[in-house]
Amino acid sequence: MKYNFFLNFIRKVAFILLKCIFFIRVEGKENIPEDPFIICANHRSYLDPVLIILIFDRKVYFMAKSELFRIWWLAPIIKAFGAFPVKRGKSDIGAIKRAIDVIKSGNILGIFPEGKRNRTKEVILKGEKGVATIVKATGAKVLPVGISGRIIPFGKIRVRIGKPIEFRNNTIDNQEIVDKIMNEIKELILK
């Protein structure tokens, strides 16, 4: 699904403004598949989902922490761009079902498998298993995305889009799936 004219206009203007503030380099756009897929990216900044929304031309439906939907001015904006709430810290069956529906409807799902922003000195945090449940239920490809750089004025930000990963064997352990995804993201960051 594409963004409507109004949202697409906002995306274009926002991208121009961000490029005036940061040096943004995007690599690997040729790796973006045509069929429905799951974007899995690392999460260090509030800017991460914005970058993904601006880079991908098709609408990305993000799982976003439910607390964001309680902020009166932010909730309508993130809903318009396709975000839906997930309760962190416990299994949110409703959010998992919604994520599966997004993929089965032919759309793109965006997930930060770390489950929260990484505020440590580690390159990447351990991933949560929810993404593996969605992968097994849908058979969707996973598109790893590594975001690196400094979120300061005139800082360099690099977004590297990796090659899609397919998990054809449904008997693979969920942790194995998550570890494979996280390792791919980490390699994209460190290259």
Side-chain angles (χ1 to χ4, degrees):
M1 173 184 268
K2 294 271 189 185
Y3 291 96
N4 67 35
F5 176 81
F6 179 67
L7 292 179
N8 205 37
F9 177 76
I10 291 172
R11 285 176 61 244
K12 301 292 184 198
V13 171
F15 202 44
I16 291 167
L17 291 174
L18 278 182
K19 284 186 144 196
C20 292
I21 300 169
F22 306 104
F23 297 106
I24 301 171
R25 190 170 85 205
V26 179
E27 300 171 14
K29 282 188 96 171
E30 68 278 2
N31 294 327
I32 301 172
E34 290 296 318
D35 43 355
F37 59 93
I38 302 168
I39 296 170
C40 286
N42 61 308
H43 195 16
R44 293 197 72 89
S45 157
Y46 286 119
L47 197 56
D48 299 335
V50 174
L51 285 167
I52 290 173
I53 287 168
L54 299 180
I55 290 166
F56 287 82
D57 290 331
R58 289 167 50 205
K59 191 170 188 174
V60 179
Y61 293 81
F62 268 103
M63 296 178 89
K65 65 180 181 179
S66 58
E67 295 87 352
L68 295 176
F69 292 85
R70 289 190 226 126
I71 301 171
W72 69 270
W73 61 269
L74 183 60
I77 296 168
I78 61 178
K79 282 180 188 175
F81 279 97
F84 60 95
V86 61
K87 294 177 189 129
R88 298 187 307 167
K90 54 186 165 192
S91 293
D92 186 343
I93 302 302
I96 297 288
K97 285 181 179 176
R98 174 83 189 270
I100 290 167
D101 288 344
V102 165
I103 295 293
K104 289 190 173 180
S105 299
N107 296 302
I108 301 170
L109 177 67
I111 299 178
F112 296 108
E114 293 166 296
K116 60 185 174 187
R117 279 184 300 132
N118 179 358
R119 297 178 185 182
T120 71
K121 293 186 189 232
E122 297 295 321
V123 174
I124 203 158
L125 300 175
K126 184 176 179 179
E128 302 287 333
K129 293 182 189 176
V131 67
T133 303
I134 298 164
V135 167
K136 284 183 172 182
T138 62
K141 294 175 184 172
V142 173
L143 190 68
V145 176
I147 304 169
S148 59
R150 300 195 57 203
I151 309 296
I152 58 170
F154 309 109
K156 292 180 182 177
I157 300 172
R158 185 177 68 172
V159 181
R160 297 191 78 206
I161 302 166
K163 295 197 181 296
I165 310 166
E166 283 190 76
F167 296 95
R168 297 178 190 264
N169 182 354
N170 251 6
T171 62
I172 299 175
D173 178 63
N174 282 6
Q175 192 61 56
E176 253 184 89
I177 291 173
V178 175
D179 290 345
K180 168 83 172 150
I181 293 167
M182 299 312 288
N183 286 334
E184 291 288 329
I185 295 169
K186 186 175 183 177
E187 282 184 30
L188 290 169
I189 295 167
L190 294 176
K191 280 186 180 176

